[in-house]
Amino acid sequence: LNLFNIYSFHFKSRLAQLEEAEGAFDYFTLSYRSFGIQRRSDNGLVLREWAPGAEAVFLTGDFNSWEKQSHPFTQKEYGKWELYLSPKVDKSPAIKHLTKLKLVVLTKTGEYLFRISPWAKYVTKTLDAITYDWTHWDPPQPYQFQHPRPPRPSSLRIYEAHVGISSPEEKIASYRNFTRDVLPRIKDLGYNCVQLMAIMEHAYYASFGYQVTNFFAASSRFGTPDDLKHLVDTAHSMGITVLLDMVHSHASSNTEDGLNYFDGTDSCFFHGGSRGNHSLWGSRLFNYSSWEVVRFLLSNLRWWMEEYHFDGFRFDAVTSMLYHHHGIGTSFSGNYSEYFGIHVDEDALVYLMLANHILHKLYPQCITVAEDVSGMPGLCRSIEEGGLGFDYRLTMAVPDKWIQVLKEVRDEDWDLKNIVQTLTNRRRGEASITYAESHDQALVGDKSLAFWLMDKEMYTNMSALTAMTPVIDRGIQLHKLIRLLTHSLGGEGYLNFMGNEFGHPEWLDFPRKGNNESYHYARRQFNLVDIEHLRYRQLYAFDRDMNLTEDKYGWLAAGQAAVTTLNQADKVIVFERSNLLFIFNFHPCNSYIDYRVAVEHAGKYKIKLNSDELQYGGHGRLVQDTEFFTEPMPFNGRAQSFLVIWRLLKNIALK
C-alpha cells in the first residue's frame, strides 16, 4: 500500500509539472501539431525537431535537388531546431504532397547523417531500396470521416488481425482488401472489436510490427493513410470498435529509417549505454524520465486517436516496461516482493499511468489493454485508486496452459482441475481478456490448437465428403470445447487471432531468407470457409454462434462464474454465469444418462448452444429444443438444485 502511494505521488507530481510547464496536458499531448512539418494558413511551412546532440540540422529532398546544406534549421532552447519555408510565388507550399525528404544531421564529431523525422506521417520504400524515404503527406483533400465511434462494448469480443496476411493470396494484402473482404467476416462472426497489428511502420515485415521504426506513420506496405482511415471508418459503420496494437515498450535499432542514433548519440530518445538496449530483442529502450520522450509518446497516442479515430490500444510488452530486468529470466509466482522494489522502473510505470489518465480523461470511451505476463497488482485499477489505469489485462497464462496440455498430455488424461484453476486464477476487480490462442501460438516454431489436435490429417481429412476419422472427430469436438470454456469461464473479454476460429490449417511464417522469401505461410486462407464440403465451415459456424450467444446473454459482462461440478473421473465441468448453465463433457468416449448437476434456481432449462449439432461438425444426438426440469435439493450444505440431464453429449450451454 505504501509503494502504491509512492507511485501515485510520483504520477501526481509528474502531471503537475507537465501542466505547469506546458499549460495543460491537452496542449502537451498535441505536440504532433507543432513538431515535424506544419502548414500554416498562408501555406508557409514550419519545421520543428528535437535533436539535442546535433551540431546542426538541415532539410534536403526533391524540392531542393537534394542539396545537403541549403536549408539549415535554427537552433532553439532545449535541443530544439526550427526552419521556416515561405510559400512559393504562386502561394503554394514550398514542399508539395508526396515530396521525398530527409533531415541532414551534423554530429558533434563532424559526421553528416541522413535521417527521417521522428514525426513523419508517411514513409515509403521502393522495391530495390534498402531504407525508407520520408514522404511528405499533405493531401489537397484530407479524408473526411463519415461515421462516429460506436459505443464502448460491455462485452468485448476481439478479433486480432494483421492486414498484410488477410488474403488467401501469396502477397501482402492491403487496407482496402481488409476493408472489403475481412471486416464483413468479423461482423458476421459476432466480434465487436478488431485489434489491428503491425500498423505503425516497421522496416522488417517479419517483425510482426513489433520493431517499430516510424511511430506516427501508418505502414505504407498496406496502402495510404487514407486507406487506413477508410478501414477504421467502415468498421465504425458496422458497429465494430477498433484497437491499435501500440508498441511503446521499445523501438527498432535501425538508424537510417528509425529513431536510433537520430541526433548522432545513443541517448536521444533512449537510455544511453547498455540500459538502452534490450538484450533479447536487439531493440532500443525508451528513456521515460525524459520530458521530450514523454511528449513524443503521449502525442503519439493522441495522434492515432485524433487522426485515425482509433478507439483504444493494446499496449505491447508492458512487462518489459515495468521492470528493469524486463521480465528476462524471471518467473512470477505472485509474491508481492516481485512487483514492488528497486527492480520496478518507476519512470515507465508513471508513464503508463499518465497515458491511461490522459486517454480516459479525453476519451471516456477509450479502451486500454495491457499485455503483462507478470500479474502486476493494480494494473487494471483506476488511477484514482492508485492503480495504473488499464481497462483490461491479457491472461497470457491461459494459452500457455492449453499449448502445454496439448503438447504433454493425452486428452483422456487432462487434469480438469488444473485447467479450471488457470482459467479462473485472476485478480478480482481487475478485468481480463482471455484467449485460447493468439498470434503467438500461430507463429512458425509452434502450432495452432487445431494443428496440435489434428496435425497432418488437416491436409487430407477435412472434407465432409469423406468418412470422419477419429483424429478429426476428436479434434473438431475439442477445438469447440476449448474455445467455449475459455470464452465463458476465463475473463471479462475474449480474443481470437484471425483464422484460428475455423482451425486455419497452417502456421504463420513471414517471407525471409530461410524460406526463400515465400509468402506461402504469410496469409490466411479464408477461402476454405467458403467451400461448403470442408469441415472448416463447421468450426466457423460454431465460433459465430458462440459469439452471438454471448452477445444475447452477456456472460463476459457478468461476474466470475461459480463452478459447481468438477468431476475428474467423469471429465465433467459445470458452472453458472449470467443466468446460464454451462455443462462440458470432456470424456473421450462416455456419454451420461440421468447425470445430476447443481443449479442455483429450480425451473425449466432449454438448450441455447449445443456443440454436438450437425452444423458444427457434431453427431446430432441431442435435439436443440430439448427442455430440462429441476427440483430443489440440498447441495454442499446450502439450498441448491439439480438438473437431470437425460443424455449429455460433449458440451452444452443451457438456460
Side-chain angles (χ1 to χ4, degrees), residues 432-472:
S432 299
I433 302 293
T434 306
Y435 52 104
E437 53 184 336
S438 68
H439 68 275
D440 289 324
Q441 287 72 41
L443 288 170
V444 69
D446 207 335
K447 295 191 289 189
S448 66
L449 295 185
F451 235 125
W452 279 112
L453 289 164
M454 294 175 279
D455 206 66
K456 61 184 179 181
E457 287 204 24
M458 297 191 74
Y459 293 113
T460 57
N461 298 324
M462 285 297 281
S463 171
L465 302 178
T466 61
M468 176 86 81
T469 67
V471 169
I472 294 297

Side-chain angles (χ1 to χ4, degrees), residues 239-531:
I240 298 173
T241 295
V242 189
L243 302 183
L244 176 65
D245 209 340
M246 175 57 60
V247 186
H248 279 183
S249 49
H250 62 131
S252 169
S253 60
N254 287 23
T255 54
E256 291 193 36
D257 47 16
L259 294 178
N260 195 18
Y261 284 87
F262 171 67
D263 64 352
T265 72
D266 73 338
S267 57
C268 183
F269 285 92
F270 312 110
H271 290 291
S274 61
R275 187 182 175 189
N277 297 287
H278 196 289
S279 60
L280 292 184
W281 300 338
S283 52
R284 299 305 313 276
L285 298 171
F286 287 107
N287 179 3
Y288 303 104
S289 67
S290 166
W291 190 271
E292 293 302 324
V293 170
V294 172
R295 179 198 302 277
F296 179 79
L297 295 176
L298 291 179
S299 297
N300 190 233
L301 298 174
R302 292 294 306 276
W303 166 257
W304 293 106
M305 293 292 291
E306 292 284 340
E307 186 71 14
Y308 287 92
H309 288 204
F310 280 95
D311 302 295
F313 306 99
R314 177 263 199 189
F315 282 77
D316 178 63
V318 167
T319 305
S320 178
M321 298 175 70
L322 289 174
Y323 309 98
H324 292 300
H325 54 62
H326 309 297
I328 300 172
T330 304
S331 58
F332 293 93
S333 65
N335 191 297
Y336 283 125
S337 64
E338 297 168 341
Y339 307 115
F340 305 103
I342 60 173
H343 51 283
V344 174
D345 188 335
E346 291 188 11
D347 292 320
L349 186 146
V350 168
Y351 165 71
L352 291 171
M353 294 175 75
L354 282 171
N356 278 304
H357 172 76
I358 289 167
L359 286 171
H360 289 105
K361 287 294 183 183
L362 295 173
Y363 313 98
Q365 298 297 304
C366 178
I367 298 169
T368 59
V369 181
E371 188 211 29
D372 170 46
V373 72
S374 76
M376 165 69 82
L379 188 74
C380 299
R381 301 296 291 186
S382 68
I383 300 290
E384 291 73 19
E385 294 176 303
L388 272 68
F390 284 98
D391 297 298
Y392 299 90
R393 64 154 36 94
L394 293 174
T395 54
M396 302 176 71
V398 172
D400 291 345
K401 173 56 64 177
W402 284 124
I403 291 295
Q404 178 206 350
V405 166
L406 292 174
K407 279 183 180 179
E408 301 175 2
V409 186
R410 299 183 309 167
D411 65 81
E412 55 263 43
D413 297 327
W414 284 2
D415 184 347
L416 297 187
K417 183 176 181 181
N418 182 253
I419 291 171
V420 168
Q421 166 67 16
T422 303
L423 284 165
T424 56
N425 182 25
R426 55 188 186 271
R427 297 192 181 280
R428 290 194 176 272
E430 298 194 38
S432 299
I433 302 293
T434 306
Y435 52 104
E437 53 184 336
S438 68
H439 68 275
D440 289 324
Q441 287 72 41
L443 288 170
V444 69
D446 207 335
K447 295 191 289 189
S448 66
L449 295 185
F451 235 125
W452 279 112
L453 289 164
M454 294 175 279
D455 206 66
K456 61 184 179 181
E457 287 204 24
M458 297 191 74
Y459 293 113
T460 57
N461 298 324
M462 285 297 281
S463 171
L465 302 178
T466 61
M468 176 86 81
T469 67
V471 169
I472 294 297
D473 187 13
R474 189 67 175 146
I476 285 177
Q477 309 319 321
L478 286 177
H479 194 268
K480 293 179 290 186
L481 268 63
I482 287 170
R483 299 181 113 64
L484 181 57
L485 183 63
T486 303
H487 200 306
S488 56
L489 186 60
E492 292 69 41
Y494 178 75
L495 179 143
N496 166 65
F497 178 66
M498 62 189 305
N500 286 358
E501 70 278 0
F502 63 84
H504 196 278
E506 291 173 341
W507 56 85
L508 179 62
D509 189 17
F510 286 87
R512 52 188 173 83
K513 289 183 180 180
N515 63 15
N516 296 317
E517 303 296 334
S518 171
Y519 286 88
H520 180 74
Y521 297 110
R523 60 187 179 129
R524 296 278 95 177
Q525 298 181 63
F526 290 109
N527 55 301
L528 297 174
V529 178
D530 300 328
I531 302 174

Side-chain angles (χ1 to χ4, degrees), residues 188-190 543-553:
D188 178 63
L189 280 163
D543 196 82
R544 178 192 61 221
D545 289 352
M546 175 178 67
N547 282 320
L548 295 179
T549 305
E550 195 289 325
D551 185 60
K552 182 175 182 179
Y553 296 105

Side-chain angles (χ1 to χ4, degrees), residues 560-622:
Q560 188 162 323
V563 179
T564 56
T565 301
L566 182 50
N567 192 312
Q568 179 64 29
D570 293 343
K571 301 295 184 187
V572 170
I573 301 171
V574 182
F575 58 87
E576 292 187 78
R577 190 176 185 187
S578 189
N579 295 318
L580 294 173
L581 177 67
F582 293 85
I583 305 176
F584 293 80
N585 175 17
F586 279 92
H587 203 285
C589 54
N590 286 356
S591 295
Y592 302 104
I593 297 174
D594 294 348
Y595 198 97
R596 299 196 305 176
V597 300
V599 296
E600 185 174 357
H601 300 291
K604 183 170 66 175
Y605 285 71
K606 187 173 183 179
I607 298 173
K608 291 299 182 181
L609 182 64
N610 172 19
S611 73
D612 197 48
E613 284 194 59
L614 294 174
Q615 63 173 319
Y616 306 141
H619 299 274
R621 287 173 290 192
L622 187 64

Side-chain angles (χ1 to χ4, degrees), residues 634-654:
F635 181 73
N636 284 349
R638 66 187 181 91
Q640 286 284 355
S641 307
F642 288 89
L643 176 64
V644 180
I645 300 182
W646 301 110
R647 187 165 178 80
L648 172 63
L649 295 170
K650 307 300 181 186
N651 153 37
I652 313 164
L654 304 174

Side-chain angles (χ1 to χ4, degrees), residues 147-159:
H147 305 282
R149 290 184 171 97
R152 173 173 167 159
S154 57
S155 293
L156 199 60
R157 302 183 297 276
I158 302 174
Y159 197 81

